[in-house]
Amino acid sequence: TIGENVSFGFSASLSIKYNANKANYIAKLYRYDTATSMMILINTSTIGNTGSVTFNNITHGGDYLIVLN
């Protein structure tokens, strides 16, 4: 959970470090929308060779889920 389920009033980024064996996986960041009871896709990014991934366009607090493919 990132704060309350309200707008930040700005756009933030989130960087995460996985093990390097996750390199080239596709990572999808979803946010749970309490108004619709649905998961909303926020950003899709490819995990880099060092295992790092950055998600952009995070504008709301709330519950998030990352899915790796």
Side-chain angles (χ1 to χ4, degrees):
T1 300
I2 302 174
E4 297 293 322
N5 192 20
V6 295
S7 175
F8 294 146
F10 58 89
S11 180
S13 296
L14 172 68
S15 294
I16 298 175
K17 174 81 169 164
Y18 290 100
N19 290 327
N21 65 350
K22 300 291 188 212
N24 299 314
Y25 276 57
I26 302 297
K28 294 182 180 183
L29 177 69
Y30 293 88
R31 181 178 64 83
Y32 180 71
D33 185 341
T34 56
T36 63
S37 297
M38 295 182 69
M39 299 300 291
I40 299 171
L41 179 63
I42 302 300
N43 192 269
T44 300
S45 188
T46 302
I47 298 175
N49 291 337
T50 62
S52 294
V53 63
T54 299
F55 298 104
N56 299 305
N57 303 319
I58 300 171
T59 59
H60 287 75
D63 295 323
Y64 284 83
L65 171 71
I66 298 172
V67 177
L68 303 181
N69 294 21

